[in-house]
Amino acid sequence: MGKRTIDLEPETPFHTFTVEQTVQHYSTSILEGLSSAEAAARLKKYGSNELQGNGGVKWYKVLWRQIANALVVILLIATALAFATKDFAEGGVILFIIIMNAAIGFWQEFNAEQTMEALRNMSSPTSQVIRDETRMTIPNNQAVPGDIMIFDDGDVIGADCRLFEIFNLETDEALLTGESLPVQKNLDLIENADQDLGDRLNMVFSSTTVVKGRAKGIVTGTGMKTQIGKIATTLMNVESNEQTPLQKRLNRMAYFVFLAAIILVIIVFAVHSFKYSSEVAIYAISVSIAIIPEGLVAVVTLTMAFGVSRMAEVKAIVRRLSSLESLGAVTNICSDKTGTLTQSKMVAVRMWLPGGGFHRITGTGFVPEGDIYRQGETAEGEFHEHEEQIPVGGGTDHYLTAIQAAALCNMSELRRTQNPQAHGEWAAIGDPTEIALQVLAYKAGLAKPDLIAQGFHLIAEFPFDSSVKRMSVLFETPAGNKLIFMKGATERVIGCCNFWREGEDEHSLVGGDRASFEAMITEKMDALAERGLRVLTLAYRKFEALPNVDLVNGLQRDDIESNMVFLGLVGIYDPPRAESRPAVLKCYEAGIRVHMLTGDHPSTAAAIAKEVAIIPEDLNVSNNPLVMTAQKFDSLTDEEVDQLVELPRVVARCSPNTKVKMIAALHRRNLFAAMTGDGVNDSPSLKAANVGIAMGQSGSDVAKQAADIVLTDDNFATIVQAIAEGRRMFANIQKFVQHLMSANVAEIVVLIVGLAFKDNDGNAVFPMSAVEILFLNMITSSPPAMGLGLEPASESNMREPPRSAKQGLFSFEVIMDTFVYGLAMGVLSFANFCIVIFGHNNGDLGSGCNGHYSPSCDGVFRGRATAYACLTLLILAHVINCRALREPGWTRKNLATLKYNKMLWLSVVVGTILVFPIIYIPGLNQNVFKHSSLRYEWGYVIAAVIIFIGFAEGYKFIKRRLMKPLSLQTDAAKEMERMRTFAPDGDSVIESKM
């Protein structure tokens, strides 16, 4: 097969095009973007924005995995031995079993791989584009030439673009050029069409990363027509053969089973004094076949594929399969507040200015309609009823300067759409907090577009950084003056202020009473924060540049953000999601503790935490170690953190390093943590967490690539649903592994004990033939096991403690159940064989009954059929037992729930029906399966099934009485009371299971 080649068309030098030429070339608009219809048409014309070469799922590799394993080798040996002894019927059946097993395994795994491939595509980086005049998020593979693409700090660029708007943009292009330093971009036209790639500063390229600033660009190349596509890179591919811890454990189990099979083969030959004969060889092969769970790998693959699909349905995209198994072990969730626990639909509702007092702002959402009322100062924490409306565009100079700061130190955009389908609705682009401030500016009559039109000109920008929690911009006013505007977290902004404004006066804090000023600000801030408002601080100052200083690239952030003048506070409300509180309460029932790590003020964080039940509503948070600031938490040494009775439930003013420290503290307590994040700086904590969860809508692509799971709806409740799904999947894997291995144990019991019975020729008599064993393993056991893998979550799924991360598939209870049920089924089946042989056939074992039927073998063939029918029905009945470790399986209530699992009850019904043709079809029964038709023996079979059901229910009853309950003896009310009393009961919620 020759190498695949890709014809590259001559490159269009878009770096030599002006913005207007590029717009005309692709018939697009930098304001409105493409329409959805035009984008769909271009997607058909240009193809998906993805690289060729990975080839997707290779069917021949999947098929090879079905053939190249120890099971097939054993079956091929059995086939060769059968044909060598001229037992063509048995050899043909085994060969058919090999082909059918490979076909079933291929179908299951190929479909599972295709499902995983589709989900990996869903988890690829996304892009922000403008379409239909609205900013939206699309998968990278749907970007088309002519799209208007928006880039922010931390984004992975989804296509090659010609830039037309930038602010302090720097990109990491090491992937393309090998240059380790970030490249600073500009909009200057480049005349040389052959300019080196690294010097095309007005372009950005697919798969490179934004390390600083923001920008907008026109997509000029997608897919294989990007620079990265032209060198046929595979960096965007996700490794599809990643082995999860579960798969590794199953591999170890396979080696153990193969070793056990060899030992059993040696035992068979030892009983026959190591004398080789075809009879002994076939028996040895039968024993080895009996211990190997043929359908296990296929069932695991299918179950995990369905698990990933279900996760996608609840809007959680799995990027790493190992996280599926980890979810069931999560003991602590560390969550952001904004957009995760809350709706991220922020609106400015209060403002406070020194000398002007509090202001009330009406209106909701993005619609810039509402009024602003001056209320004055509060009286004992309550706002005055008498208020004065401020006219649009009016107010004091202090008030107008604060509104200018809110409007200009702001990268969001607010505009009324012209799209007829949107009916002229208002749409916003940008950070929710900035949108709230921009809406405030519109309501005050000082919208940013109006100020820009009046002559305000942006010179430099220092974007918001989670490590400093503030943002600054340098503007030139229409009068030619230069002003710096700043907004951010109060304590970070005040630290930059040496003055504060009161009306028309500016008071110095240098050498003055800074402590009393900060106390006043803290009081006002608390008045807002205690109402659940997120508080931002505004500041400004006049700026005079030194001679010969480059105002665009020569300014240092520390120099700009100093000597600021405090203007005032803005209170922004972000209502909690309706589903957040129920989800947190469900976590408590599941033994999971929730921590909120937010950048908000402590009072704001505590107020929201009370609303969503992270802490009790009546909890006094003053000096309470359950609520800490990041400054206090970060100041503690590891030893001091470890001495805390309980880690804080709320950490305010949180930085990325605080998140890493929290994860480390949880790990030292042997807890299993999930961490959410959305920013570039969250990547270390996402990687450090046992399960990293990135936000799909607000998260940067760097965060998504560092995460294990991506939430497409940024919703805390989705995390809880994902944990429930992870628990369900792991429990189901335990169920079907126990079912398959119990059946294998039963078969081994029958065959090994059967070695004691010798026929008239001195050969061991098969209680079950090799074909019967293969049929039991492949046809009887595997379909119900698949059904168990699709079982819905049990009622106690989220009332059980988190699974220990060290616990594998085989807990003590699962191992015990496997052997107890297996021994019971094996003993009952062999007992039926003995009853027929010794009770009705005088113990006559005939001669040569392993190979063919003769009148002397009638008793053996009927006994074999009885054992086969008995074990078949016992295995099918055992499916009901495996649905729950301890709960009764044969109650009317439990049996009624079978209707929710069509695969399970159909496999039981079909498996039961198949017993009859296998036993009664002439020729098939005696020549292939080596058994005869049954008559009165059915009475023994039915009796064995009844005895087994009674035994199973009694066994579960004893376990319920003697073992620790699986469900937690707690609920949300008890957890709340425990937090109120703050009892020092440790921080681990893992309860050992017997």
Side-chain angles (χ1 to χ4, degrees):
M1 189 175 182
K3 288 186 178 180
R4 181 176 171 185
T5 59
I6 300 171
D7 295 328
L8 297 178
E9 297 177 3
E11 180 182 349
T12 303
F14 285 103
H15 56 281
T16 66
F17 282 33
T18 64
V19 174
E20 292 74 18
Q21 287 174 324
T22 309
V23 167
Q24 291 176 3
H25 183 88
Y26 282 117
S27 302
T28 187
S29 165
I30 61 176
L31 291 178
E32 301 175 1
L34 299 174
S35 67
S36 296
E38 177 62 22
R42 294 190 185 192
L43 188 62
K44 290 182 180 179
K45 177 181 178 180
Y46 294 104
S48 296
N49 178 28
E50 54 192 0
L51 300 176
Q52 302 174 20
N54 66 344
V57 183
K58 304 292 193 304
W59 66 267
Y60 51 86
K61 289 185 178 180
V62 177
L63 181 61
W64 174 249
R65 287 200 291 271
Q66 309 310 311
I67 299 172
N69 60 64
L71 166 67
V72 174
V73 172
I74 293 173
L75 294 180
L76 285 172
I77 293 173
T79 304
L81 287 171
F83 284 136
T85 55
K86 298 185 179 180
D87 191 346
F88 298 110
E90 184 165 303
V93 169
I94 298 176
L95 188 60
F96 173 74
I97 291 288
I98 293 173
I99 295 172
M100 186 177 65
N101 182 39
I104 292 174
F106 172 79
W107 177 81
Q108 290 173 339
E109 191 169 340
F110 187 71
N111 280 295
E113 288 284 351
Q114 286 186 316
T115 301
M116 290 303 302
E117 185 73 18
L119 291 169
R120 276 192 290 269
N121 291 337
M122 289 173 65
S123 70
S124 64
T126 55
S127 294
Q128 298 281 335
V129 298
I130 296 177
R131 287 185 182 172
D132 299 320
E133 304 179 59
T134 304
R135 179 172 177 168
M136 61 179 64
T137 301
I138 62 170
N140 265 347
N141 57 14
Q142 293 182 17
V144 296
D147 261 327
I148 304 303
M149 194 169 280
I150 304 170
F151 317 110
D152 290 308
D153 187 12
D155 283 354
V156 174
I157 295 170
D160 288 3
C161 299
R162 170 63 163 94
L163 297 170
F164 65 84
E165 180 182 305
I166 64 170
F167 290 99
N168 297 337
L169 180 67
E170 294 184 7
T171 61
D172 180 358
E173 297 182 352
L175 185 68
L176 281 174
T177 65
E179 176 57 53
S180 58
L181 294 176
V183 179
Q184 192 172 64
K185 298 293 183 176
N186 60 47
L187 301 180
D188 297 342
L189 192 66
I190 299 171
E191 297 181 358
N192 182 7
D194 298 322
Q195 187 77 21
D196 290 340
L197 203 60
D199 294 327
R200 299 180 186 181
L201 301 182
N202 58 10
M203 299 283 296
V204 289
F205 304 106
S206 175
S207 297
T208 60
T209 306
V210 178
V211 296
K212 181 182 177 182
R214 59 185 178 82
K216 293 180 182 177
I218 305 166
V219 174
T220 59
T222 60
M224 297 307 293
K225 292 183 173 62
T226 61
Q227 294 297 329
I228 203 77
K230 290 172 184 176
I231 58 174
T233 182
T234 58
L235 285 178
M236 292 179 68
N237 293 341
V238 179
E239 178 58 52
S240 62
N241 294 323
E242 172 193 12
Q243 276 204 330
T244 72
L246 172 62
Q247 291 169 329
K248 292 175 182 177
R249 285 195 288 266
L250 289 175
N251 285 343
R252 287 196 294 269
M253 187 192 79
Y255 295 136
F256 169 79
V257 168
F258 189 66
L259 179 62
I262 294 174
I263 294 172
L264 289 173
V265 168
I266 294 173
I267 291 174
V268 171
F269 277 99
V271 169
H272 291 84
S273 303
F274 293 98
K275 295 179 180 177
Y276 176 81
S277 69
S278 60
E279 295 281 333
V280 175
I282 291 292
Y283 199 100
I285 293 295
S286 299
V287 171
S288 62
I289 288 172
I291 198 173
I292 296 177
E294 288 87 343
L296 182 59
V297 174
V299 175
V300 169
T301 303
L302 191 66
T303 300
M304 295 194 77
F306 273 112
V308 173
S309 297
R310 288 198 187 193
M311 294 276 280
E313 289 174 6
V314 299
K315 301 184 179 180
I317 305 302
V318 177
R319 296 192 72 252
R320 294 181 180 85
L321 271 179
S322 56
S323 62
L324 268 179
E325 306 155 41
S326 303
L327 281 169
V330 168
T331 61
N332 296 69
I333 302 174
C334 300
S335 174
D336 288 329
K337 177 185 76 70
T338 304
T340 307
L341 289 163
T342 62
Q343 298 178 22
S344 194
K345 294 181 179 179
M346 298 187 179
V347 57
V349 295
R350 300 281 181 185
M351 185 167 64
W352 177 82
L353 305 177
F358 286 96
H359 296 65
R360 182 172 68 90
I361 304 125
T362 64
T364 59
F366 298 154
V367 180
E369 297 174 359
D371 300 314
I372 303 175
Y373 298 86
R374 179 182 177 277
Q375 294 180 304
E377 297 296 345
T378 59
E380 297 181 356
E382 297 298 326
F383 294 108
H384 291 301
E385 294 182 3
H386 303 290
E387 51 190 22
E388 168 195 353
Q389 182 174 352
I390 300 176
V392 175
T396 65
D397 185 64
H398 181 183
Y399 166 83
L400 294 175
T401 304
I403 297 296
Q404 286 177 354
L408 296 175
C409 188
N410 195 319
M411 296 302 111
S412 66
E413 297 179 18
L414 191 67
R415 58 196 301 264
R416 191 186 294 272
T417 61
Q418 302 300 317
N419 187 349
Q421 295 179 351
H423 306 292
E425 295 179 356
W426 286 91
I429 299 174
D431 178 79
T433 304
E434 294 194 330
I435 292 171
L437 293 175
Q438 199 63 257
V439 171
L440 167 63
Y442 270 78
K443 292 174 182 177
L446 295 177
K448 183 177 180 179
D450 295 339
L451 294 175
I452 298 297
Q454 291 173 16
F456 280 88
H457 172 64
L458 177 64
I459 299 173
E461 171 195 333
F462 294 91
F464 180 85
D465 188 320
S466 57
S467 62
V468 297
K469 290 187 170 56
R470 60 180 178 260
M471 171 187 176
S472 302
V473 291
L474 173 60
F475 267 86
E476 184 175 355
T477 69
N481 300 321
K482 295 180 177 60
L483 294 177
I484 298 170
F485 295 106
M486 176 190 289
K487 75 167 187 299
T490 302
E491 62 270 25
R492 298 301 180 93
V493 174
I494 287 181
C496 300
C497 293
N498 285 333
F499 304 90
W500 63 283
R501 185 163 179 175
E502 184 179 21
E504 306 307 316
D505 300 324
E506 289 187 3
H507 306 286
S508 175
L509 294 172
V510 179
D513 191 357
R514 178 178 281 269
S516 62
F517 166 76
E518 292 184 355
M520 175 182 68
I521 299 302
T522 300
E523 177 189 350
K524 306 306 178 184
M525 195 165 57
D526 288 344
L528 296 171
E530 287 170 1
R531 288 166 171 77
L533 304 184
R534 183 178 186 182
V535 182
L536 290 180
T537 296
L538 303 174
Y540 89 114
R541 77 174 170 95
K542 297 175 181 177
F543 177 74
E544 294 183 6
L546 296 174
N548 302 321
V549 172
D550 182 354
L551 293 182
V552 176
N553 301 313
L555 300 176
Q556 297 299 315
R557 183 165 197 155
D558 291 342
D559 296 333
I560 289 293
E561 296 179 340
S562 61
N563 283 323
M564 301 297 292
V565 180
F566 175 88
L567 284 172
L569 308 174
V570 179
I572 298 174
Y573 185 60
D574 183 15
R577 293 178 183 265
E579 58 271 27
S580 291
R581 184 180 178 89
V584 172
L585 295 176
K586 185 179 287 187
C587 285
Y588 293 147
E589 292 182 355
I592 300 169
R593 293 179 182 171
V594 182
H595 306 259
M596 186 171 81
L597 284 70
T598 176
D600 285 337
H601 182 272
S603 297
T604 305
I608 297 296
K610 289 180 178 180
E611 287 192 56
V612 298
I614 289 178
I615 56 177
E617 292 183 5
D618 56 353
L619 183 70
N620 182 7
V621 299
S622 178
N623 296 320
N624 193 315
L626 289 178
V627 180
M628 282 190 188
T629 63
Q631 183 180 11
K632 182 176 180 182
F633 184 71
D634 291 342
S635 66
L636 298 176
T637 65
D638 288 348
E639 292 73 18
E640 290 172 331
V641 171
D642 294 340
Q643 288 173 6
L644 293 174
V645 175
E646 183 171 341
L647 292 174
R649 294 299 182 91
V650 178
V651 181
R653 298 305 191 203
C654 187
S655 69
N657 290 335
T658 309
K659 292 185 175 184
V660 175
K661 183 166 184 171
M662 174 64 81
I663 292 295
L666 289 167
H667 286 170
R668 290 196 300 274
R669 297 182 183 219
N670 296 320
L671 298 172
F672 207 81
M675 171 67 77
T676 69
D678 53 12
V680 181
N681 292 336
D682 288 330
S683 298
S685 61
L686 292 175
K687 290 182 178 179
N690 302 101
V691 181
I693 303 172
M695 302 296 108
Q697 293 180 355
S698 63
S700 67
D701 287 332
V702 172
K704 293 176 190 176
Q705 290 179 346
D708 303 299
I709 293 173
V710 178
L711 304 184
T712 60
D713 62 353
D714 294 9
N715 194 335
F716 178 83
T718 302
I719 302 174
V720 181
Q721 288 180 290
I723 290 174
E725 181 60 30
R727 288 187 173 195
R728 182 200 69 84
M729 193 197 73
F730 193 88
N732 286 352
I733 291 176
Q734 278 192 322
K735 291 173 186 177
F736 69 65
V737 167
Q738 183 196 117
H739 178 259
L740 290 173
M741 295 306 295
S742 296
N744 293 137
V745 170
E747 293 166 7
I748 292 300
V749 169
V750 173
L751 293 176
I752 292 300
V753 177
L755 287 171
F757 294 87
K758 302 292 181 67
D759 63 12
N760 299 334
D761 300 327
N763 292 320
V765 176
F766 296 179
M768 297 181 72
S769 68
V771 175
E772 285 177 331
I773 293 166
L774 283 170
F775 201 85
L776 282 172
N777 285 354
M778 292 302 304
I779 307 303
T780 305
S781 292
S782 292
M786 294 176 199
L788 286 172
L790 303 179
E791 273 282 273
S794 66
E795 292 182 359
S796 63
N797 184 48
M798 289 299 282
R799 292 201 304 270
E800 297 179 8
R803 171 179 55 83
S804 170
K806 296 180 181 178
Q807 176 191 320
L809 278 176
F810 296 100
S811 63
F812 170 76
E813 185 172 357
V814 171
I815 294 173
M816 181 176 69
D817 289 354
T818 298
F819 281 97
V820 169
Y821 289 125
L823 286 170
M825 290 189 291
V827 167
L828 287 170
S829 297
F830 191 74
N832 274 347
F833 177 79
C834 292
I835 289 172
V836 173
I837 294 295
F838 295 98
H840 298 276
N841 204 48
N842 300 320
D844 184 8
L845 297 173
S847 178
C849 299
N850 292 334
H852 60 273
Y853 176 80
S854 66
S856 66
C857 295
D858 184 66
V860 172
F861 270 52
R862 283 190 293 111
R864 198 176 283 150
T866 306
Y868 168 75
C870 180
L871 190 52
T872 297
L873 296 184
L874 290 179
I875 288 173
L876 293 174
H878 185 43
V879 172
I880 308 300
N881 298 330
C882 291
R883 296 183 75 204
L885 283 175
R886 299 183 191 174
E887 295 304 311
W890 292 91
T891 62
R892 185 175 181 180
K893 177 183 177 182
N894 187 57
L895 292 175
T897 60
L898 278 172
K899 64 184 177 182
Y900 300 116
N901 191 340
K902 186 176 180 181
M903 176 72 180
L904 189 63
W905 68 261
L906 269 179
S907 65
V908 172
V909 170
V910 172
T912 303
I913 292 173
L914 282 177
V915 174
F916 297 97
I918 296 300
I919 289 178
Y920 289 106
I921 293 178
L924 179 67
N925 53 7
Q926 291 184 352
N927 296 334
V928 177
F929 284 86
K930 313 299 184 190
H931 59 220
S932 296
S933 302
L934 297 181
R935 299 186 297 277
Y936 61 83
E937 293 88 355
W938 280 111
Y940 299 124
V941 173
I942 294 170
V945 173
I946 294 173
I947 292 171
F948 178 68
I949 291 173
F951 168 80
E953 292 299 293
Y955 173 63
K956 286 188 175 183
F957 177 79
I958 294 171
K959 288 205 299 178
R960 290 195 298 272
R961 284 299 184 92
L962 299 181
M963 291 185 169
K964 276 186 177 182
L966 291 175
S967 297
L968 281 169
Q969 303 300 307
T970 188
D971 55 27
K974 291 181 179 178
E975 176 67 9
M976 289 295 182
E977 183 60 31
R978 194 191 64 76
M979 280 193 279
R980 289 189 190 97
T981 56
F982 204 66
D985 59 350
D987 201 59
S988 177
V989 292
I990 298 180
E991 294 185 12
S992 60
K993 298 181 184 180
M994 291 184 64

